[in-house]
Amino acid sequence: MKKILTIVIIVLLSSVLLSQEFDRKTTFVAGGALWDVPSNWNPFVPWDAVSGTVGLVYETLFEYDTLNNSMKPFLAEDGKWISDNEYLLKLRKGIKWTDGVDFTSKDVYFTFDVGRKNEEAPISYVWKWLKEIKVIDNYTLKFIFSEPRYSEWNTMLYDQGIIPEHIWSKKTAEEVINTDNKNPIGTGSYKYEVATNDKMVWIRNDNWWGKDVFGKLPAPKRIVIPLIYSNNVALGMLMKGELDLSNFFLPGIPKVKSFYNLTTWYEGKPYMLPGDSATLYLNTHKKYLNNTDFRKAIAYAINRDMIIKNVFEYQSQKANPSGLLPIDSWMKYYNKEVNKKYGFDFNKEKAKSLLKKLGFKDINHDGFLEDKDGKKVSFEIIVPSGWTDWMEAIKIISKNLQDIGIKADAKFPDEGVYWDDLTKGDFDMAINNYGNEASSTPWTYWNSVMNYRINQDVVEDGNFGRYNNPKLFKMIKDFNTKKLGSTESYEIASLIEEEMLKNMPVIPLWFNGLWYQASSDYWTNWPTEKNPVGYPCSWSGYWSRGGIDMLLNLKPSNHEE
């Protein structure tokens, strides 16, 4: 209680200081993207870098327009496959780094070449299937692939920030990976201004090349991302107009949004865009959970409609059986017939029937099942402590499983312990969504929940349940090597969905909302269903998925102090 009170006081004081330190009429305050003291601006470790490092400072070759499922040229003017394994890239001319040096092909070449020279660099994985890069001229490059991976390359084009060769070439290989890179020099619409223990401040680059291309600069002169630990604090700040954009899950929004004139994507249900697919991982190395019909029984037992109603207040949507987000880039691969034939939904009697066929029964009449040998069946379900929506959800799941005779206790370890247990395989059931966010290809989802790299002590790339199915792994790899939209890609997608539903290695639960609530005290023209002028998200990695469009279209409110 004392800790919470201290945090509240700090945030309240910070809010007062924010209004004193910056002109709120020109400052955009976004919450939900900073969970620790800002300390890293290295685009090669985006999971550690402060939000905005990639997107606001280090720009990508393309922007992925998530709303319209299209690739928009950004640093690149054009890019296309000129053969099955050659990709020709043309860069925009006239772009400068913020220190005045011209942006050219050598910067793009150098960025990718970091991975060729340094196997420790996260970007090195591309060289497993990229053979060579040819610099044609100052603004043209040709990428030649030994094994073209179309889905993977497509995501790199809007995820990988490009760095300046004239600065980073002076760093050692170790420094490139380990530098905190304070005061980064980029090409982007914003520059580093200051970082303190409680906030990150980006200041607009008024010489940004986009001013001529898009006809304007982003309206906010500054973007302030405060450190906010609590959803309740964020809600309070939003109600008082101290926060312009909130990307937190905030319970009660459907009831208070009208009173406080808050904007959400949809006016009514489901209020939020689908953000990612929340999945129940089942540890297939544990007894019973290694049985397909047992896993199916669990899937049939979970009442996801109850979770959507009671926990999310209809701010999330129930997942379809395949777990494919309801966005164009994924749903065009959704096979309705396969999902109808092999899919699942809440059906308690079917769950009980499957368990009965497996020989489970309540021998001692205590309400819980024993196996054929008379041994009790019990599990734990874990989510991180403090993730209040997920905590409430697994309470419901625990009750659902109890209703079919399976004892499953809901546990809430600290996030660090949760991550250790998840990645080291020391869990029974766990909810996770890492790697399942909206993207230009469903391959990113399949490559996450069914990742093949499971034969190691620590599994961090997904497939935390360590489900081993070489046939399925090969299908997912094959999909990656087919051009998006090709006949072959659709055929393989259907086979992947069928294989997953037949074996139920994971259970798709719900589509987490792209949590978004906005105040119009200082800024208007927010993106909505009826005004889709950008992707309303300040999370790391989302600026190049439509977040910049939101900034370009914001308009100052006629606010009177």
Side-chain angles (χ1 to χ4, degrees):
M1 185 66 187
K2 184 178 179 182
K3 181 179 179 182
I4 295 174
L5 183 60
T6 302
I7 292 171
V8 170
I9 292 172
I10 290 173
V11 171
L12 290 176
L13 287 173
S14 300
S15 302
V16 173
L17 292 174
L18 275 179
S19 61
Q20 294 175 346
E21 191 174 358
F22 304 111
D23 181 355
R24 283 293 280 120
K25 294 178 182 177
T26 59
T27 301
F28 176 70
V29 184
L34 190 65
W35 291 90
D36 206 344
V37 174
S39 60
N40 191 300
W41 297 266
N42 187 337
F44 285 117
V45 288
W47 52 89
D48 279 338
V50 176
S51 176
T53 299
V54 175
L56 297 181
V57 176
Y58 294 108
E59 296 181 301
T60 53
L61 294 167
F62 284 81
E63 177 193 64
Y64 176 59
D65 183 344
T66 312
L67 299 172
N68 297 299
N69 186 28
S70 63
M71 300 286 282
K72 289 183 175 179
F74 222 65
L75 289 179
E77 184 178 74
D78 188 33
K80 60 184 177 184
W81 291 96
I82 57 174
S83 73
D84 285 344
N85 70 326
E86 294 176 310
Y87 187 89
L88 190 67
L89 186 73
K90 290 187 177 294
L91 305 179
R92 287 188 194 276
K93 298 177 180 176
I95 296 176
K96 291 184 180 294
W97 299 95
T98 50
D99 61 1
V101 175
D102 288 340
F103 162 75
T104 67
S105 294
K106 65 182 179 183
D107 298 309
V108 177
Y109 180 90
F110 180 81
T111 299
F112 284 90
D113 203 45
V114 164
R116 186 180 65 81
K117 293 179 178 176
N118 184 359
E119 291 185 355
E120 299 298 317
I123 196 176
S124 65
Y125 72 93
V126 72
W127 288 97
K128 294 179 179 177
W129 39 281
L130 175 61
K131 180 181 177 183
E132 180 183 6
I133 304 173
K134 289 185 177 179
V135 176
I136 309 298
D137 58 37
N138 276 348
Y139 300 98
T140 310
L141 303 99
K142 184 192 290 185
F143 292 78
I144 303 170
F145 296 87
S146 55
E147 180 190 39
R149 299 184 181 181
Y150 299 105
S151 282
E152 215 162 348
W153 178 245
N154 191 260
T155 58
M156 284 198 78
L157 290 173
Y158 60 85
D159 273 346
Q160 181 60 53
I162 302 300
I163 59 172
E165 183 269 348
H166 67 282
I167 294 175
W168 286 71
S169 61
K170 298 174 184 174
K171 300 179 187 293
T172 66
E174 184 179 355
E175 287 173 338
V176 166
I177 305 306
N178 296 320
T179 178
D180 63 8
N181 192 37
K182 197 171 183 179
N183 293 310
I185 299 296
T187 56
S189 51
Y190 285 84
K191 301 184 291 184
Y192 178 105
E193 184 173 45
V194 66
T196 63
N197 287 338
D198 61 358
K199 62 182 174 295
M200 177 70 221
V201 184
W202 301 110
I203 188 166
R204 191 176 61 203
N205 172 15
D206 287 348
N207 296 316
W208 184 45
W209 58 270
K211 180 180 179 181
D212 296 328
V213 174
F214 304 113
K216 56 187 172 183
L217 290 168
K221 182 177 180 180
R222 284 186 175 82
I223 297 176
V224 176
I225 305 176
L227 179 59
I228 304 172
Y229 288 108
S230 163
N231 294 3
N232 290 334
V233 172
L235 179 60
M237 293 176 68
L238 192 65
M239 290 174 173
K240 290 189 290 184
E242 295 166 347
L243 202 60
D244 300 313
L245 170 67
S246 159
N247 291 129
F248 291 90
F249 166 70
L250 300 179
I253 284 296
K255 296 176 182 175
V256 305
K257 61 169 291 199
S258 297
F259 186 79
Y260 289 99
N261 192 29
L262 301 179
T263 298
T264 54
W265 181 265
Y266 296 107
E267 183 61 30
K269 302 174 185 176
Y271 301 100
M272 309 292 161
L273 285 165
D276 59 65
S277 190
T279 302
L280 182 65
Y281 284 93
L282 310 168
N283 191 336
T284 59
H285 285 205
K286 294 293 182 77
K287 192 174 182 181
Y288 314 125
L289 296 177
N290 58 3
N291 183 285
T292 299
D293 284 338
F294 193 91
R295 295 194 295 268
K296 287 184 177 178
I298 292 175
Y300 282 115
I302 299 173
N303 189 340
R304 296 172 298 156
D305 287 315
M306 182 184 292
I307 294 172
I308 297 301
K309 176 185 176 184
N310 294 354
V311 177
F312 292 107
E313 302 166 292
Y314 300 106
Q315 295 187 75
S316 290
Q317 303 173 57
K318 183 172 72 174
N320 54 51
S322 288
L324 292 180
L325 282 173
I327 56 177
D328 290 347
S329 57
W330 291 21
M331 284 306 285
K332 68 180 184 180
Y333 291 101
Y334 182 80
N335 189 313
K336 290 182 180 178
E337 293 182 3
V338 167
N339 278 266
K340 183 179 180 181
K341 185 175 182 179
Y342 300 106
F344 66 95
D345 207 344
F346 177 54
N347 189 330
K348 191 162 61 175
E349 295 310 313
K350 195 161 187 173
K352 288 181 176 179
S353 174
L354 284 168
L355 294 175
K356 185 178 180 180
K357 287 180 181 177
L358 291 172
F360 292 94
K361 57 184 177 181
D362 185 3
I363 297 174
N364 58 9
H365 304 292
D366 65 348
F368 294 107
L369 299 174
E370 284 82 30
D371 66 12
K372 293 176 180 177
D373 299 323
K375 293 182 179 177
K376 289 185 177 298
V377 180
S378 66
F379 302 100
E380 288 183 354
I381 316 173
I382 59 170
V383 298
S385 177
W387 295 31
T388 53
D389 47 343
W390 287 18
M391 291 167 69
E392 293 304 314
I394 66 169
K395 290 178 184 176
I396 291 177
I397 293 174
S398 175
K399 178 65 171 59
N400 290 158
L401 295 182
Q402 181 180 322
D403 289 344
I404 62 168
I406 295 177
K407 190 173 187 301
D409 296 325
K411 299 289 184 182
F412 318 116
D414 288 340
E415 187 172 358
V417 175
Y418 161 85
W419 181 245
D420 278 348
D421 290 347
L422 188 71
T423 55
K424 294 177 180 176
D426 190 17
F427 72 99
D428 298 326
M429 304 182 206
I431 298 178
N432 193 268
N433 60 345
Y434 297 163
N436 301 355
E437 66 272 11
S439 70
S440 60
T441 164
W443 174 83
T444 57
Y445 168 69
W446 293 323
N447 186 55
S448 173
V449 296
M450 286 294 94
N451 193 282
Y452 67 91
R453 292 183 288 272
I454 55 174
N455 296 315
Q456 44 197 345
D457 293 337
V458 178
V459 173
E460 295 184 327
D461 295 327
N463 195 0
F464 301 110
R466 302 182 186 225
Y467 174 70
N468 189 7
N469 186 333
K471 178 183 175 184
L472 182 57
F473 297 159
K474 184 177 184 306
M475 290 179 189
I476 295 169
K477 181 181 178 183
D478 287 346
F479 182 88
N480 196 11
T481 61
K482 306 301 178 189
K483 289 182 178 177
L484 290 169
S486 65
T487 301
E488 295 94 335
S489 70
Y490 288 111
E491 292 172 350
I492 296 172
S494 295
L495 293 174
I496 291 172
E497 291 171 60
E498 182 176 330
E499 186 70 11
M500 287 184 68
L501 290 171
K502 282 182 174 177
N503 294 283
M504 199 62 69
V506 296
I507 301 175
L509 295 173
W510 60 81
F511 299 133
N512 273 321
L514 185 80
W515 310 125
Y516 158 54
Q517 312 89 21
S519 163
S520 294
D521 275 18
Y522 293 95
W523 301 100
T524 62
N525 201 35
W526 291 101
T528 66
E529 175 191 16
K530 297 177 180 177
N531 184 41
V533 292
Y535 208 50
C537 190
S538 62
W539 295 334
S540 184
Y542 284 76
W543 296 109
S544 58
R545 302 183 186 206
I548 293 290
D549 293 333
M550 171 184 66
L551 295 175
L552 283 168
N553 286 290
L554 282 178
K555 295 179 180 177
S557 296
N558 296 317
H559 184 80
E560 297 294 335
E561 297 287 359

